[in-house]
Amino acid sequence: MGTHEIELSPKPEEAVRADNRPGFYFDNIIGNSKALRNVLEMVKKVANTQATVLISGDSGTGKELIALALHAHSDRKDKLFLPVNCGALPETLLESLLFGHMKGSFTGAFANQEGLFEKARGGTIFLDEIGEIPHHLQVKLLRALESKEILPIGHTTPRRIDVRVLAATNRNLQKEVEAGRFREDLYYRLNIMEIHIPPLRERPEDIPLLVEHLVKKHNPELNRNFQKVDEDVVRVLMSLPWKGNVRELDNVIEHTMILAEGDRITLKDLPAPIVAYSQKHPAFTFSLRDALRGFEKQHIVRVLDQVGKDRKEAAKLLDISLSSLYRKIEELEIEE
């Protein structure tokens, strides 16, 4: 079996996770890169405190999973964990959802409604996409964080709350502050502790474990029984930029499993754009020799494309003899 070939064990729960030591288990946080281990070490340090935590990172990196881990390993773990997407709701609805409202306070308010800050009661509220929250609600949120009080819509008396706030963003909040779109005092109140999740392209060594986990996860969902993922598939996946991060990788794996046949996933089973990308970009490797070979192949292919496959002209541009070019085309298995 190759270095990165994946042979799946029969039980999904046997997938290797980032940390499975007794007493501190990170369910569904998959990987073993130094970057991810650093994130989880930070989670361990702050989980059992009452500190507000700002979780930053690109879309699809798993910010809610980190929030869940913080809650699950805190002294609030037996209370509610209430997530809310601040960018998915209209302003009035978001205010009512977070802080509650009194009957008759606005059109459609037919009864008193408790907000999530009260409903949490000793638990955790997770404010995803915090950078999207409207400016006047930023004031109310700041008060909730500083004084542990909220004021429901239509009410004149503040109400005490007991809740830990975790927030997440894919924006650079410091730049949002400088642009006047986000309150500086709220930023510092949220950013008592920041946990930054690096993008998948910066931790490709996590991809083999992620692929193994995702295939196991989708096997029963799709009524499939894939047992192996070929090494060249994993190496290609490790070389991709993954702008959508783990969410994008999950989508690619599920797509591939739906269309692939047999009990193993091979390079030809990957979506056509990825196969095309792999033909023009060297696959990921830790070996310096293999990396140089991949770059050499990529460079020769580009030069050949530039001169319309004219080997004589390509040899001149590459500053090598024509016979050397023929030899490298054969050695590097360059298709024309």
Side-chain angles (χ1 to χ4, degrees):
M1 184 168 68
T3 307
H4 295 297
E5 183 182 55
I6 296 174
E7 184 168 359
L8 279 69
S9 54
K11 297 181 180 179
E13 59 267 27
E14 292 177 5
V16 180
R17 288 172 169 80
D19 190 332
N20 59 3
R21 283 175 282 177
F24 221 98
Y25 188 75
F26 294 102
D27 190 31
N28 289 330
I29 300 178
I30 313 298
N32 198 35
S33 64
K34 185 177 186 300
L36 187 60
R37 292 199 306 271
N38 288 343
V39 168
L40 299 184
E41 284 300 320
M42 181 67 75
V43 170
K44 290 180 183 181
K45 290 179 180 178
V46 304
N48 208 29
T49 72
Q50 301 304 312
T52 302
V53 180
L54 179 64
I55 306 167
S56 61
D58 294 350
S59 295
T61 50
K63 294 186 287 295
E64 185 166 350
L65 290 177
I66 295 298
L68 281 164
L70 286 165
H71 174 74
H73 295 93
S74 73
D75 57 6
R76 297 176 178 267
K77 61 181 178 294
D78 296 325
K79 304 294 184 179
L80 291 175
F81 174 88
L82 300 179
V84 56
N85 187 325
C86 298
L89 299 170
E91 184 173 333
T92 302
L93 184 56
L94 178 61
E95 182 175 8
S96 175
L97 180 66
L98 292 177
F99 305 107
H101 65 256
M102 305 305 294
K103 180 180 178 180
S105 57
F106 56 85
T107 303
F110 300 115
N112 294 345
Q113 178 172 303
E114 192 174 56
L116 295 184
F117 273 97
E118 284 189 279
K119 194 172 291 184
R121 286 192 181 82
T124 303
I125 186 168
F126 173 54
L127 303 176
D128 198 8
E129 296 190 30
I130 190 67
E132 304 282 346
I133 195 168
H135 205 272
H136 97 274
L137 293 187
Q138 293 179 27
V139 178
K140 297 191 72 167
L141 177 57
L142 179 62
R143 178 175 182 174
L145 291 170
E146 289 186 335
S147 64
K148 305 298 181 184
E149 291 182 343
I150 61 165
L151 190 64
I153 301 173
H155 208 287
T156 57
T157 305
R159 294 182 177 178
R160 296 290 297 173
I161 56 170
D162 174 20
V163 62
R164 185 185 192 181
V165 175
L166 307 176
T169 182
N170 58 13
R171 294 187 178 190
N172 185 324
L173 286 190
Q174 183 66 61
K175 289 185 177 180
E176 294 295 299
V177 169
E178 293 170 1
R181 292 187 290 266
F182 201 84
R183 292 181 62 98
E184 185 174 28
D185 46 7
L186 176 57
Y187 170 67
Y188 288 121
R189 177 58 62 176
L190 288 169
N191 196 27
I192 292 174
M193 293 298 301
E194 180 177 2
I195 296 177
H196 178 71
I197 309 174
L200 193 55
R201 64 181 175 273
E202 293 180 7
R203 46 189 179 94
E205 59 268 45
D206 286 338
I207 288 177
L209 292 178
L210 281 165
V211 171
E212 179 181 5
H213 168 72
L214 293 170
V215 172
K216 288 179 178 179
K217 181 183 82 168
H218 290 306
N219 260 337
E221 295 174 359
L222 301 175
N223 195 27
R224 306 305 295 268
N225 188 33
F226 289 102
Q227 299 297 315
K228 290 185 178 181
V229 181
D230 284 356
E231 179 181 357
D232 54 356
V233 171
V234 180
R235 291 180 63 216
V236 165
L237 295 177
M238 291 174 74
S239 71
L240 294 170
W242 297 117
K243 293 181 180 179
N245 292 288
V246 180
R247 187 180 295 123
E248 183 185 2
L249 175 63
D250 190 5
N251 177 275
V252 167
I253 294 298
E254 185 173 8
H255 174 95
T256 300
M257 291 175 67
I258 290 171
L259 298 180
E261 298 177 354
D263 64 353
R264 65 188 298 144
I265 295 175
T266 65
L267 192 59
K268 66 179 178 58
D269 297 321
L270 291 173
I274 292 181
V275 175
Y277 180 94
S278 71
Q279 293 172 348
K280 294 186 177 181
H281 297 81
F284 181 89
T285 177
F286 288 105
S287 165
L288 179 59
R289 183 180 63 182
D290 290 344
L292 292 172
R293 175 184 170 91
F295 176 79
E296 186 177 23
K297 178 177 180 179
Q298 177 188 13
H299 184 65
I300 291 174
V301 168
R302 285 178 175 173
V303 172
L304 283 167
D305 287 343
Q306 185 175 331
V307 297
K309 309 298 183 183
D310 186 329
R311 295 187 178 189
K312 187 174 181 180
E313 184 63 25
K316 288 181 180 179
L317 292 175
L318 291 165
D319 196 23
I320 59 176
S321 68
L322 184 58
S323 60
S324 294
L325 176 58
Y326 273 97
R327 186 177 67 255
K328 287 185 177 294
I329 288 173
E330 182 178 354
E331 289 176 354
L332 298 173
E333 299 178 346
I334 296 174
E335 297 178 4
E336 292 189 82

